[in-house]
Amino acid sequence: MSQPHSAPRATALIADDEDAMRAQLRSRLREVWPELEIVAEAANGIEAVALAGQHQPDIVFLDIRMPGLSGIEAARLLFNRCHLVFVTAYDQYAIAAFEQGALDYVLKPADAARLAGTCARLQARLGRRPDDIARQLGALLQGQTAKPNYLRWVQAQVGGNLRMISTREVLFFQAEEKYTRVKTEQGEVLIRKTLKELADELDPDEFWRIHRSTLVRVDAITQVTRDLRGRQMVKLRDCAEQLEVSRGHAHLFQQM
């Protein structure tokens, strides 16, 4: 997608705790706004605030969920110093929370058309003082704390059809090369959403991470045993497959 030659020069910082997501957004920005200079990248909210102080970017792209400080917490420290764009995997939450006033957002993975619109709005704001959005940020932070918007459906491409799967049906998610395997009582499918994204979006009271590659539905667990090698193994209802619990997550089953 080409950008008008008159597009202003500007600097930006990208903050996301996933390398792949930073790279994807950086690539999309290069397509829709080649004049934009990415001066720094941060892997968490604390880094984002520090690097923003060091580089003084015109724009900061903030992932909503990051360790240290969340995107919204970091934004409360940055909003009067630069223009902000939130990056989120939460479609419904983003539409409800950010489509008002000066707040803008990009959905993961960044879509070129949506990002081009965001960049056009940013270009119109450059040279102006960032809007005072402290009250909106406070409301967003309070809303996040009070009522998390957990993932309730996953989408899977099955042949030429799109299948909607309720998370209530899912027994476990398991990382498998470039895909994530979704196991239900009816069968299994592959989706492109990463296990890291799922871990951030699912209700932690409903799904536990028992291994770096496995998220399991807690109420589907029927038994936890040890095999001959001393490893903890989880057995699920209506599932012949047993899942290994890594040492780092053994504390979930301390009674074993």
Side-chain angles (χ1 to χ4, degrees):
M1 185 174 299
S2 62
Q3 193 70 21
H5 295 296
S6 59
R9 296 194 66 83
T11 58
L13 181 152
I14 296 173
D16 195 303
D17 61 339
E18 291 187 80
D19 294 344
M21 288 295 103
R22 293 200 304 273
Q24 198 267 345
L25 179 56
R26 184 173 63 247
S27 176
R28 281 284 184 262
L29 285 168
R30 193 177 297 122
E31 291 176 26
V32 303
W33 193 353
E35 297 85 0
L36 182 66
E37 181 186 359
I38 309 299
V39 293
E41 296 185 12
N44 58 63
I46 295 171
E47 248 183 46
V49 174
L51 288 172
Q54 179 182 342
H55 294 278
Q56 298 292 309
D58 299 301
I59 302 155
V60 176
F61 292 87
L62 285 167
D63 182 21
I64 292 294
R65 295 216 170 188
M66 291 187 292
L69 288 174
S70 72
I72 293 173
E73 289 169 330
R76 295 184 76 185
L77 301 174
L78 297 172
F79 74 91
N80 58 350
R81 295 155 51 185
C82 53
H83 299 282
L84 300 174
V85 179
F86 291 102
V87 183
T88 178
Y90 299 86
D91 196 342
Q92 291 180 334
Y93 179 59
I95 291 172
F98 302 138
E99 280 196 342
Q100 42 183 308
L103 294 179
D104 210 337
Y105 70 94
V106 173
L107 292 176
K108 293 183 180 184
D111 173 76
R114 168 75 198 182
L115 190 58
T118 297
C119 288
R121 287 189 290 277
L122 288 167
Q123 290 166 18
R125 293 176 191 152
L126 287 177
R128 295 193 338 225
R129 184 177 179 82
D131 294 306
D132 187 347
I133 54 175
R135 183 171 296 180
Q136 281 178 280
L137 290 172
L140 282 173
L141 190 59
Q142 184 177 7
Q144 267 200 322
T145 304
K147 190 179 180 180
N149 196 349
Y150 294 120
L151 186 69
R152 295 302 175 195
W153 298 88
V154 291
Q155 298 180 357
Q157 195 74 32
V158 181
N161 301 316
L162 185 66
R163 181 180 167 192
M164 300 295 294
I165 302 171
S166 168
T167 56
R168 292 190 298 271
E169 301 175 37
V170 177
L171 298 175
F172 65 85
F173 296 93
Q174 194 164 59
E176 196 165 291
E177 295 184 355
K178 295 181 180 180
Y179 298 90
T180 297
R181 181 175 163 225
V182 184
K183 179 70 174 179
T184 70
E185 293 177 20
Q186 289 73 40
E188 61 182 67
V189 295
L190 296 176
I191 61 174
R192 289 187 177 275
K193 188 180 284 286
T194 68
L195 206 72
K196 168 66 169 61
E197 290 173 317
L198 288 165
D200 286 344
E201 297 172 34
L202 291 165
D203 187 340
D205 290 331
E206 294 183 12
F207 286 89
W208 286 356
R209 192 164 200 157
I210 62 168
H211 191 279
R212 64 184 175 84
S213 64
T214 310
L215 285 165
V216 64
R217 184 167 191 85
V218 180
D219 64 10
I221 298 174
T222 59
Q223 193 174 22
V224 183
T225 60
R226 289 190 183 274
D227 66 6
L228 295 176
R229 294 168 57 187
R231 299 175 304 173
Q232 287 183 328
M233 304 297 292
V234 165
K235 181 172 176 53
L236 306 175
R237 67 170 186 264
D238 300 313
C239 181
E241 191 171 349
Q242 294 192 54
L243 305 173
E244 180 183 351
V245 181
S246 68
R247 289 184 180 180
H249 297 88
H251 65 276
L252 295 170
F253 309 100
Q254 289 180 346
Q255 69 275 20
M256 288 297 299

